[in-house]
């Protein structure tokens, strides 16, 4: 666990000394363990946990992207082009969801911190500024090792390697340098159980304030 990343541009905003958003937002590529870790640390601390993949659809629809459209566009345009077109709906969901869980634990699905459109990334950065902690999760510091671990995990659990249409979306999510600047902390998980990771993360965040 490294503390905290030296990027003052992502320091959380506060109102009257109180953070206005979640206690923790967990970010990172598919298969990193955000949902599992989120549920663990929420249970340890008695906080509410939410996965944006579960609560996001109504907000995607607000932005003109009901799930049915996402499926239809993916079939006709291909997954990568649809992923790009879907960016406004993802950023909208982040902006709408985070303020609803003050003091909670929120897991952002892969892609919710990755954008090709600068203004959408800035919207998400602004929404995350209200969180007390933003934690980037990956198996190990080395990108190639992390990518291999994540690939194997996604194939085993989802039968999906995230290489579609000749594009490696998993590698993009993992190595996107802008997404990493959103984090205040980084957690490397390989070799430990979700419970062990959650206990260490809780201790570290409580010590950091």
């Amino acid at each position: 666990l490294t503390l905290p990343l030296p990027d003052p541009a992502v320091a959380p905003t506060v109102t009257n000394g109180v953070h206005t958003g979640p206690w923790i937002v967990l970010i990172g590529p598919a298969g990193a363990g955000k949902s599992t870790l989120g549920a663990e640390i929420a249970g340890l601390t008695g906080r509410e946990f939410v996965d944006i993949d579960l609560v996001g659809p109504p907000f995607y629809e607000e932005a003109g992207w009901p799930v049915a459209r996402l499926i239809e566009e993916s079939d006709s345009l291909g997954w990568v082009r649809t992923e790009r077109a879907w960016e406004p709906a993802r950023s909208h969901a982040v902006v709408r969801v985070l303020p609803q869980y003050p003091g909670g634990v929120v897991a952002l699905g892969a892609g919710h911190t990755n954008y090709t459109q600068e203004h959408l990334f800035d919207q998400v950065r602004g929404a995350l500024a209200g969180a007390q902690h933003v934690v980037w999760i990956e198996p190990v510091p080395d990108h190639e090792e992390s990518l291999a671990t994540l690939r194997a995990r996604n194939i085993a659990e989802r039968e999906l390697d995230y290489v579609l249409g000749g594009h490696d979306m998993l590698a993009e999510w993992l190595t996107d340098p802008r997404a990493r600047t959103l984090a205040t902390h980084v957690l490397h998980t390989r070799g430990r159980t979700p419970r062990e990771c959650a206990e260490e993360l809780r201790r570290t965040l409580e010590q950091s304030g």
Side-chain angles (χ1 to χ4, degrees):
L1 189 68
T2 51
L3 294 176
L5 294 178
D7 186 354
V10 299
T13 57
V14 295
T15 300
N16 296 325
V18 178
H19 290 272
T20 58
W23 180 50
I24 301 175
V25 179
L26 303 172
I27 64 175
K34 300 179 295 295
S35 298
T36 301
L37 179 60
E40 284 282 356
I41 197 165
L44 282 175
T45 59
R47 297 174 184 271
E48 185 175 12
F49 170 66
V50 64
D51 187 333
I52 200 171
D53 287 340
L54 299 180
V55 302
F59 304 110
Y60 305 146
E61 188 165 357
E62 284 181 355
W65 278 88
V67 173
R69 180 185 175 188
L70 188 61
I71 295 171
E72 291 171 2
E73 296 284 0
S74 183
D75 289 340
S76 61
L77 297 178
W79 196 72
V80 176
R81 289 179 63 188
T82 302
E83 183 78 8
R84 306 301 190 215
W86 188 40
E87 288 184 6
R90 293 202 305 275
S91 64
H92 176 76
V94 173
V95 170
R96 293 278 279 116
V97 167
L98 294 189
Q100 298 188 29
Y101 298 93
V105 179
V106 179
L108 294 188
H112 286 81
T113 52
N114 303 81
Y115 298 89
T116 60
Q117 301 179 57
E118 187 74 28
H119 72 286
L120 298 178
F121 179 81
D122 288 342
Q123 287 177 9
V124 169
R125 180 187 288 274
L128 286 169
Q132 188 169 354
H133 308 286
V134 181
V135 182
W136 174 272
I137 304 174
E138 63 185 353
V140 294
D142 182 80
H143 286 176
E144 291 302 319
E145 287 187 45
S146 274
L147 183 59
T149 299
L150 292 168
R151 185 96 63 206
R153 189 179 297 167
N154 279 292
I155 291 172
E157 297 177 357
R158 308 174 185 182
E159 298 184 346
L160 184 61
D161 64 5
Y162 286 103
V163 180
L164 299 171
H167 184 79
D168 192 339
M169 188 61 72
L170 184 60
E172 178 179 309
W173 288 329
L174 176 65
T175 61
D176 181 352
R178 289 199 311 170
R180 288 169 175 268
T181 68
L182 298 170
T184 57
H185 301 75
V186 175
L187 176 66
H188 298 119
T189 60
R190 196 168 71 181
R192 289 177 292 168
T193 67
R195 182 66 174 224
E196 290 170 339
C197 290
E199 289 174 342
E200 180 178 344
L201 182 58
R202 178 186 64 173
R203 289 192 301 270
T204 301
L205 296 184
E206 288 177 347
Q207 290 170 4
S208 67

